[in-house]
Amino acid sequence: EIKKTGSIPGIWLAPSAIFERWPKLNQYHDALQKLPNGRYAVSFCNWGWSDNKNWYWGDTTGKTYFLDPDHPKSIKLMTEILKQVKLQGWKYYKFDFTYALSTARNAYDKKKTRFQTLSDLFTLFRTELGNDVMINACIGEPGRYALGKADVARMGGDMGNNWSSIRNNLSELFLRMSTNGYWWQGDPDVFNMVKENSELNDEEKNL
């Protein structure tokens, strides 16, 4: 249906993230990023929507953990996800939360730097999906590790639905967008067109 409009079918993915209530969590428990003391190295608490139809913005129930991208189980799982979505016909991929990689973790490959691990992760994305698709590196900055693998870079943080959150983002966003045309095309972030929960006036929306 998207193709019929002349648009490119796109999908949002976070292949290195695993929600705590995912039934298969235990199968990948040893591949998750952990500190030397065994505790999780990285976690987010804003993904209750993944299995809760009654979830609402501000609900912080449920935690999301992150894979060590170098672990064989992680590579296998992400490869399976990439093959699946490619078969579905998506041509634009926005990869989010790949930056959630702790340098304090008990790394699977202790010889690699954070830069090398993230560079290899985006190489995996490009290798599995091919060169006939567009990849958006949703990393919030012009990170060099995605150069040559991504076509577009998400710049800045979430815009939000009130002026204070947008104002805090603008200076940082404009600075990061200055690489536009030299490194890659900059994506200035999503803008919610829905009326619900928006505190923005017409002038703020226009900006």
Side-chain angles (χ1 to χ4, degrees):
E1 292 301 314
I2 297 173
K3 280 183 179 179
K4 288 177 182 178
T5 69
S7 299
I8 301 174
I11 188 170
W12 176 96
L13 294 170
S16 61
I18 293 185
F19 189 58
E20 68 174 350
R21 293 196 290 270
W22 186 40
K24 297 182 181 180
L25 174 65
N26 289 336
Q27 296 180 29
Y28 298 94
H29 190 265
D30 56 339
L32 295 174
Q33 295 179 50
K34 298 187 190 68
L35 299 171
N37 63 9
R39 298 182 66 180
Y40 293 110
V42 188
S43 66
F44 284 69
C45 58
N46 59 340
W47 283 21
W49 52 264
S50 62
D51 71 346
N52 182 3
K53 293 181 179 179
N54 297 316
W55 185 86
Y56 58 92
W57 286 107
D59 182 359
T60 58
T61 58
K63 288 190 175 183
T64 301
Y65 304 115
F66 293 84
L67 297 165
D68 187 321
D70 295 317
H71 197 286
K73 282 189 177 181
S74 302
I75 295 173
K76 183 176 183 296
L77 175 61
M78 289 188 287
T79 299
E80 290 173 353
I81 293 172
L82 295 171
K83 289 183 182 299
Q84 179 182 357
V85 291
K86 184 177 182 179
L87 286 174
Q88 291 172 351
W90 302 102
K91 292 295 184 179
Y92 185 99
Y93 297 85
K94 185 171 185 175
F95 289 108
D96 206 350
F97 290 96
T98 56
Y99 55 81
L101 181 66
S102 171
T103 54
R105 76 189 192 285
N106 185 21
Y108 179 80
D109 188 339
K110 294 179 172 55
K111 294 182 179 180
K112 292 173 67 172
T113 64
R114 182 177 185 273
F115 180 97
Q116 290 171 324
T117 293
L118 289 171
S119 178
D120 287 348
L121 179 59
F122 274 87
T123 296
L124 174 67
F125 295 160
R126 178 57 74 187
T127 301
E128 291 300 327
L129 296 174
N131 293 320
D132 62 335
V133 304
M134 289 190 70
I135 291 179
N136 183 335
C138 187
I139 53 182
E141 63 180 15
R144 292 181 298 115
Y145 55 80
L147 284 173
K149 297 106 178 177
D151 304 285
V152 179
R154 151 74 183 275
M155 301 296 178
D158 290 344
M159 280 302 187
N161 58 7
N162 61 73
W163 180 244
S164 62
S165 66
I166 292 177
R167 183 177 57 191
N168 291 335
N169 257 318
L170 286 180
S171 59
E172 185 177 339
L173 175 62
F174 292 145
L175 176 64
R176 291 177 175 181
M177 287 285 283
S178 67
T179 61
N180 184 19
Y182 294 92
W183 284 12
W184 42 32
Q185 176 67 34
D187 168 22
D189 180 31
V190 296
F191 177 71
N192 249 337
M193 302 302 289
V194 295
K195 296 180 180 179
E196 292 83 356
N197 300 321
S198 178
E199 301 172 10
L200 302 175
N201 61 39
D202 289 340
E203 185 177 354
E204 291 167 346
K205 289 180 181 179
N206 184 59
L207 177 62

